[in-house]
């Protein structure tokens, strides 16, 4: 579905009204295309923290051009600043010294990344300085404009620089087009090292990925992106969506399983199918979800129960069954699809918001329990343009699309790309995160 307002502001009269009335001016976001470079331009490096010396090597391994000074007349496509060396409030001046001269010299849809130390692992004045990085990067994302994003990556003190690789590959590329103002935490890999990725265009080659609610919308796009990255996709959906599911599975040369995930025996059936037909699973994406909106004063029992059952109870039951039976392979990935509604709330969605906040709780619960390199993370989409949002009343839809730093809605592929980053075998140190795919919403995010 095209964004008519975005098309309008690109016309001569639209540009005039934007300039004179201060209206939102969404730009067309760069999104990754197959065969394109990971970063189409130069990334400028700064800072002298504990990871600074290793960053050039990481970017070389990704095929990303980088420099510590830009040639005259060149615009930076990315800025990466190692702030792990900032140990007190006075040292924060280094942020201004690095970023300020570059802010008018950025290419459109540039990527800004600050690397810090998780404040939970610091104390005293250093903790003060490291916590300050969150306010800096969130504000930076909201004022950068022209499709530029800004992120903060906290790296545990004893984590090696190599644990950053998959995260930098995602955050510096057009794959993170609708992700901004986020805080990503990277821990240690424990006894299970992250797998080395030799082909960054097919990092999931030889892997099996389960996607629930795969027949249409965001689920379909997740299946397509994971297939693009090399995975064999096993799609799951209800009998009513069987025709679309079978068609997609054939197109992707994958597999399918038709069932209701809320059925009593659904976890056992899924586990049996994955074990017997595929020898296990490497990526589990809990995408299936429903809405049954009503204000709480008018909320019938069946509306409440059905949303909780599909969105929360089923993912928890399926996940625990797969883990209990050992169906999730070593270095496996479990990803939940939450929602910005589960973080900020929404009128008429107490049931939906509770279920999606519960998904975040499931991540919190399981992330510390899993072992053998298995990770548990979630995405929290904001306003994503789908057939469902197309049915939202015009005025509500327009407000929903504009109340973010990008002044536009996201696309299903934006959610899928974020999940593909989690799914990457090199993302073993990315565990327990909830990343909002919302264009950096102005409220609640």
């Amino acid at each position: 579905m095209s964004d008519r307002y975005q098309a309008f502001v690109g016309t001569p009269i639209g540009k005039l009204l934007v300039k004179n009335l201060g209206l939102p001016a969404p730009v067309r976001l760069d999104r990754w295309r197959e065969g394109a470079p990971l970063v189409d331009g130069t990334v400028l490096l700064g800072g002298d923290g504990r990871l600074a010396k290793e960053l050039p090597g990481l970017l070389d391994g990704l095929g990303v051009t980088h420099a510590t000074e830009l040639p005259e007349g060149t615009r930076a496509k990315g800025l990466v600043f190692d702030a792990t060396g900032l140990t007190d409030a006075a040292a924060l001046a280094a942020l201004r010294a690095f970023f300020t001269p570059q802010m008018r010299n950025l290419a459109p849809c540039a990527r800004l990344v600050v690397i810090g130390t998780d404040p939970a692992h610091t104390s005293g004045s250093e903790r003060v300085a490291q916590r300050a990085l969150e306010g800096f990067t969130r504000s930076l994302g909201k004022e950068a404009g022209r499709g530029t994003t800004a992120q903060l990556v906290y790296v545990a003190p004893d984590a090696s620089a190599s644990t950053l690789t998959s995260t930098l590959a995602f955050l510096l590329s057009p794959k993170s087009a609708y992700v901004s103002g986020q805080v990503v935490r990277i821990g240690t890999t424990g006894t299970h090292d992250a797998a080395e990725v030799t082909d960054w265009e097919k990092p999931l080659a030889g892997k099996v990925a389960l996607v629930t609610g795969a027949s249409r919308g965001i689920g379909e796009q997740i299946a397509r992106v994971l297939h693009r990255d090399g995975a064999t996709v096993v799609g799951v959906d209800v009998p009513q969506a069987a025709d679309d599911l079978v068609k997609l599975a054939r197109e992707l040369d994958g597999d399918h399983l038709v069932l209701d995930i809320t059925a009593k025996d659904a976890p056992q059936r899924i586990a049996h199918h994955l074990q017997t037909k595929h020898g296990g699973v490497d990526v589990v994406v809990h995408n299936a979800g429903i809405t049954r909106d009503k204000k709480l004063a008018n909320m019938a029992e069946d509306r409440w129960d059905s949303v909780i059952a599909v969105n929360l109870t089923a993912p928890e039951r399926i996940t625990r069954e797969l883990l209990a039976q050992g169906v999730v392979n070593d270095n496996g990935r479990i990803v939940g699809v939450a929602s910005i509604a589960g973080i900020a709330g929404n009128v008429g969605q107490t049931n939906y918001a509770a279920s999606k906040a519960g998904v975040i709780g499931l991540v919190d619960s399981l992330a510390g329990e899993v072992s053998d390199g298995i990770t548990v993370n979630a995405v929290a989409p904001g306003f994503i343009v789908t057939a469902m949002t197309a049915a939202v009343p015009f005025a509500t839809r327009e407000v929903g699309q504009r109340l973010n730093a990008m002044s536009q809605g996201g696309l299903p592929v934006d959610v899928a790309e974020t999940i593909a980053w989690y799914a990457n075998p090199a993302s073993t140190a990315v565990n327990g995160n909830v990343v909002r795919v919302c264009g950096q919403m102005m409220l609640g995010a």
Side-chain angles (χ1 to χ4, degrees):
M1 184 179 71
S2 61
D3 187 333
R4 294 181 180 178
Y5 176 80
Q6 186 179 44
F8 169 72
V9 299
T11 65
I13 189 171
K15 291 178 181 177
L16 182 64
L17 289 175
V18 165
K19 180 179 180 180
N20 291 333
L21 299 179
L23 297 174
V27 302
R28 188 173 299 279
L29 302 180
D30 284 350
R31 289 185 170 90
W32 191 77
R33 302 176 307 280
E34 206 158 352
L38 199 62
V39 179
D40 188 12
T42 300
V43 173
L44 186 68
L45 300 177
D48 58 356
R50 70 177 189 278
L51 302 171
K53 291 182 179 179
E54 297 182 75
L55 289 176
L58 297 184
L59 296 184
D60 286 340
L62 295 170
V64 175
T65 302
H66 56 87
T68 53
E69 290 186 16
L70 289 175
E72 190 172 347
T74 302
R75 291 183 177 271
K77 192 64 175 178
L79 304 178
V80 177
F81 185 83
D82 182 356
T84 59
L86 306 186
T87 57
D88 57 40
L92 294 171
L95 296 170
R96 189 211 61 80
F98 175 73
F99 283 97
T100 298
Q102 305 303 328
M103 295 308 293
R104 291 186 176 88
N105 194 38
L106 296 173
C109 298
R111 301 286 179 260
L112 316 180
V113 178
V114 175
I115 302 170
T117 303
D118 190 335
H121 298 290
T122 62
S123 61
S125 296
E126 183 179 6
R127 185 163 190 162
V128 172
Q130 291 299 313
R131 182 59 179 80
L133 300 178
E134 292 192 32
F136 174 79
T137 50
R138 292 191 196 281
S139 297
L140 188 61
K142 289 182 175 179
E143 69 177 50
R146 297 206 302 165
T148 292
T149 65
Q151 327 288 350
L152 172 60
V153 182
Y154 278 138
V155 182
D158 53 350
S160 67
S162 62
T163 59
L164 265 171
T165 307
S166 67
T167 299
L168 286 178
F170 173 63
L171 296 180
L172 291 175
S173 78
K175 295 180 179 181
S176 58
Y178 203 61
V179 176
S180 189
Q182 297 306 292
V183 178
V184 176
R185 285 175 167 80
I186 295 179
T188 56
T189 57
T191 58
H192 197 101
D193 292 336
E196 183 178 350
V197 175
T198 56
D199 183 355
W200 283 90
E201 289 196 6
K202 298 288 183 182
L204 298 178
K207 305 294 184 182
V208 176
L210 177 81
V211 181
T212 66
S215 66
R216 61 177 70 89
I218 292 174
E220 177 188 350
Q221 195 61 54
I222 294 168
R224 291 186 181 280
V225 168
L226 296 181
H227 167 74
R228 178 204 71 191
D229 284 2
T232 297
V233 177
V234 181
V236 176
D237 221 320
V238 292
Q240 301 93 304
D243 289 346
D244 289 337
L245 182 65
V246 171
K247 181 181 177 181
L248 179 67
R250 287 174 179 167
E251 182 183 344
L252 302 184
D253 195 25
D255 189 12
H256 69 277
L257 186 58
V258 178
L259 55 73
D260 180 345
I261 60 171
T262 66
K264 184 177 181 180
D265 64 345
Q268 291 75 25
R269 289 176 61 190
I270 291 172
H272 179 75
H273 184 90
L274 292 171
Q275 194 71 279
T276 57
K277 291 200 66 175
H278 300 281
V281 68
D282 301 285
V283 181
V284 177
V285 183
H286 294 294
N287 165 75
I290 62 171
T291 57
R292 297 289 186 269
D293 296 353
K294 281 286 183 182
K295 287 187 177 180
L296 189 60
N298 303 314
M299 180 74 69
E301 184 178 357
D302 63 325
R303 285 180 178 270
W304 180 277
D305 291 347
S306 60
V307 169
I308 297 296
V310 174
N311 298 1
L312 180 57
T313 306
E316 181 175 11
R317 291 178 64 230
I318 292 167
T319 299
R320 293 194 183 280
E321 184 69 22
L322 295 178
L323 290 172
Q325 291 197 32
V327 179
V328 181
N329 296 327
D330 288 2
N331 205 32
R333 305 284 179 261
I334 299 167
V335 184
V337 177
S339 170
I340 200 69
I343 297 171
N346 209 5
V347 174
Q349 289 194 317
T350 52
N351 53 354
Y352 183 75
S355 71
K356 293 304 185 179
V359 170
I360 296 172
L362 184 60
V363 170
D364 292 342
S365 173
L366 289 176
E369 298 178 18
V370 292
S371 57
D372 300 318
I374 297 171
T375 66
V376 187
N377 296 282
V379 292
F383 191 101
I384 304 297
V385 179
T386 63
M388 183 173 69
T389 57
V392 173
F394 175 79
T396 304
R397 186 172 69 245
E398 281 302 302
V399 171
Q401 290 187 92
R402 308 306 161 204
L403 281 179
N404 60 74
M406 305 295 180
S407 299
Q408 60 191 285
L411 301 180
V413 70
D414 299 322
V415 180
E417 294 285 18
T418 308
I419 289 171
W421 156 55
Y422 284 145
N424 192 304
S427 295
T428 305
V430 183
N431 186 33
N433 285 267
V434 179
V435 168
R436 302 162 189 168
V437 187
C438 65
Q440 198 177 9
M441 288 186 69
M442 297 299 183
L443 301 175

